[in-house]
Amino acid sequence: MPWLAPSPLPRDIDTDLDGLLASAAVVGGEWRRYADLILGQAPAELAELLRLRVAQLHECDPAAGRSLAELAREQVEALAGWERSSAFSPVERDALAIADKWPWRVHDVSDGELAALSTKLGVKDAVALLAALSLFDVHCRLQVIFELDDPKEDLDVD
Amino acid sequence: MSTEPRIPLAGSYVGVRAALGHLDGVPDGLSALQAAIWDPAADVEPRVKELSRLRNARVTDCAY
């Protein structure tokens, strides 16, 4: 049972995240099912906000992943400087504060930050959102390590 | 950081499933994913996978 297709990835597959997972046989299929289970239970707009923020932190292309919801343009434009912006609600700010620590400083997430999020969202939504954060982090790491870009960019020809 | 669970434990689950157990079907989904990853028929040697697992736990300073 192959874990991954022979390296380098074959050029006749879309070298986006879905293409990579499709090349990973059983593990890729189970990963996609696991991810869909979590994302299907996470609050969509909040999850999309965190998906875009984690992509910013990893400097990876959010267009290479699946969009979960449509956000207000004002929020998308303000996301890089969210701490100084009034475009985000208190619960969005709580979630973004945790997301900012997720890739490199997860041990710094405090009891108070978790309590605030689970109080405002409820335990189930908070767990779903944090599990989704883990998925976004992994997806960005896979994008970076396999150099997966937005497949639409491949259509650009000089 | 207190020693109290940050969220109520879900059912009789332990470990990470005690949190993920709040989500429908997710603990079973995690089990299926882990079974695929650790399937001895996979073409990555179990020893390599275990080394990677331990090293990842070490560098992220979490329990293994």
Side-chain angles (χ1 to χ4, degrees):
Chain A
M1 181 182 75
W3 253 29
L4 292 173
S7 183
L9 290 171
R11 301 306 302 175
D12 60 348
I13 66 170
D14 290 335
T15 51
D16 60 1
L17 184 61
D18 283 334
L20 175 73
L21 292 175
S23 75
V26 176
V27 172
E30 293 296 349
W31 175 264
R32 178 51 72 196
R33 277 187 282 279
Y34 176 67
D36 286 347
L37 274 170
I38 291 170
L39 296 177
Q41 297 177 67
E45 290 188 359
L46 204 44
E48 177 67 2
L49 197 62
L50 301 193
R51 189 183 75 84
L52 297 181
R53 182 58 181 158
V54 170
Q56 283 182 342
L57 296 170
H58 278 290
E59 298 183 15
C60 73
D61 182 2
R66 296 178 183 178
S67 176
L68 303 170
E70 188 168 345
L71 302 181
R73 175 181 291 186
E74 180 191 12
Q75 285 197 325
V76 175
E77 291 175 349
L79 190 55
W82 68 266
E83 288 176 294
R84 300 179 300 279
S85 170
S86 60
F88 302 97
S89 70
V91 69
E92 289 169 338
R93 299 180 72 82
D94 289 341
L96 285 166
I98 293 173
D100 274 17
K101 295 178 179 177
W102 204 269
W104 333 115
R105 297 183 291 129
V106 72
H107 286 281
D108 292 344
V109 176
S110 70
D111 292 346
E113 287 173 319
L114 257 294
L117 193 71
S118 61
T119 298
K120 290 173 183 168
L121 284 181
V123 169
K124 181 173 181 177
D125 278 3
V127 169
L129 197 64
L130 296 175
L133 256 179
S134 290
L135 298 175
F136 305 147
D137 190 46
V138 169
H139 288 172
C140 281
R141 290 171 191 272
L142 289 173
Q143 276 181 247
V144 171
I145 201 69
F146 287 107
E147 298 182 336
L148 305 176
D149 298 316
D150 181 357
K152 293 186 289 296
E153 292 180 0
D154 295 338
L155 300 178
D156 295 337
V157 177
D158 291 332
Chain B
M1 182 179 296
S2 78
T3 56
E4 292 295 316
R6 287 177 158 180
I7 57 167
L9 304 182
S12 58
Y13 290 112
V14 296
V16 70
R17 287 170 178 76
L20 295 178
H22 289 285
L23 305 179
D24 298 335
V26 171
D28 287 344
L30 177 62
S31 296
L33 175 61
Q34 289 180 323
I37 290 171
W38 291 99
D39 187 335
D43 62 358
V44 177
E45 288 181 38
R47 178 180 169 278
V48 174
K49 287 184 280 192
E50 180 64 1
L51 277 174
S52 303
R53 187 184 73 84
L54 293 174
R55 183 59 183 160
N56 184 67
R58 178 70 59 86
V59 299
T60 53
D61 194 19
C62 74
Y64 53 88

